[in-house]
Amino acid sequence: MATKVMQNYNKLGFLRPSRDRVQGMIAGIGGTLVVLVVLATTLLFLPTNGQINEGTKQNIGKAAFVVSVNRTQLNALVDQYLNSDPKLKDKLRLEMGKHDMMVYGTQKLLGQSVDFGIRMKPEVTKHGSITLHAESIAVGQLPLPVTFIMRALKNMANLPVWMQVDAQQKTITIDMGKTPKMQGVQFKAVKINPEKNQFVFKGGFE
């Protein structure tokens, strides 16, 4: 004779699930929550789109030497070797200040040429290039968004090969591996500290 299974119904007349089924449902919900937490954590720590340009990796020979200059000497070198680049002249100008690197230029706005300046924080990359991070910008007397001018710079034709603009990251990378050689010597940045007026470079022949 078959054993009759007792079934429990709630007050509304719906069949109550068995204890095993309830435990299975709880385990399933718990497993789903764990998966969601792991997925959310993974997405949180995923790298953002676009990475900072590290510049060209240089192979400076063993006969390398270290050069330390002050702000005045650095700006003189920047004027001679970077600002004088035919593709950069009359478009942009770089100048190291007491706290940041300043990038000056002229941009068309509503059909008129308007001067602008970008205050940028310098950072030495692992390959010895210099990445400038935009902090603030002024266009005439207008505090326009940084991305507005960065996109304009990105679209500017015929920038030098040693200058890469990333409008999304709001950076300008000075690729030291592609900058003009100084009397046949290639340099890479070692330390850039505007506040302490310390600018150290490593030079050598590739």
Side-chain angles (χ1 to χ4, degrees):
M1 183 176 178
T3 302
K4 185 177 181 180
V5 178
M6 297 297 295
Q7 295 180 330
N8 294 325
Y9 292 86
N10 59 21
K11 294 180 179 181
L12 298 178
F14 294 105
L15 180 65
R16 289 194 180 99
S18 64
R19 179 177 297 180
D20 292 340
R21 186 178 178 186
V22 170
Q23 292 178 347
M25 292 171 63
I26 294 175
I29 294 173
T32 302
L33 290 176
V34 171
V35 172
L36 290 176
V37 170
V38 172
L39 180 59
T41 305
T42 302
L43 292 176
L44 181 64
F45 289 98
L46 279 177
T48 57
N49 292 332
Q51 297 181 349
I52 298 301
N53 186 357
E54 299 289 351
T56 303
K57 186 176 182 179
Q58 301 183 64
N59 296 314
I60 294 178
K62 294 182 179 180
F65 55 92
V66 175
V67 177
S68 181
V69 298
N70 58 32
R71 187 178 298 103
T72 301
Q73 294 169 326
L74 176 65
N75 281 328
L77 293 172
V78 169
D79 277 336
Q80 182 177 357
Y81 292 96
L82 300 185
N83 290 340
S84 62
D85 190 306
K87 293 185 178 181
L88 196 66
K89 199 172 183 180
D90 300 327
K91 293 182 180 179
L92 296 175
R93 181 172 63 86
L94 307 174
E95 181 180 331
M96 183 62 69
K98 291 184 179 181
H99 302 284
D100 307 281
M101 173 74 86
M102 294 299 301
V103 179
Y104 300 104
T106 302
Q107 181 62 38
K108 287 286 186 181
L109 185 62
L110 300 177
Q112 296 183 349
S113 296
V114 180
D115 295 332
F116 68 85
I118 310 176
R119 188 179 303 277
M120 312 195 77
K121 199 72 175 178
E123 176 189 9
V124 177
T125 73
K126 66 180 181 181
H127 292 327
S129 292
I130 302 173
T131 294
L132 307 175
H133 301 264
E135 294 188 321
S136 62
I137 189 168
V139 181
Q141 301 298 320
L142 303 175
L144 294 179
V146 174
T147 52
F148 179 86
I149 293 297
M150 295 299 294
R151 287 173 182 168
L153 294 181
K154 178 69 176 178
N155 296 328
M156 187 178 292
N158 298 322
L159 283 177
V161 67
W162 49 264
M163 174 177 280
Q164 288 94 42
V165 178
D166 190 327
Q168 182 181 1
Q169 298 292 324
K170 302 178 185 178
T171 61
I172 296 176
T173 298
I174 301 175
D175 192 335
M176 296 296 293
K178 296 179 180 178
T179 55
K181 293 183 179 181
M182 303 180 187
Q183 299 180 351
V185 179
Q186 193 71 54
F187 285 90
K188 62 193 316 185
V190 176
K191 183 178 182 180
I192 302 292
N193 192 327
E195 288 84 0
K196 294 185 178 180
N197 198 16
Q198 296 177 347
F199 309 96
V200 183
F201 298 84
K202 187 177 182 180
F205 299 92
E206 292 186 317

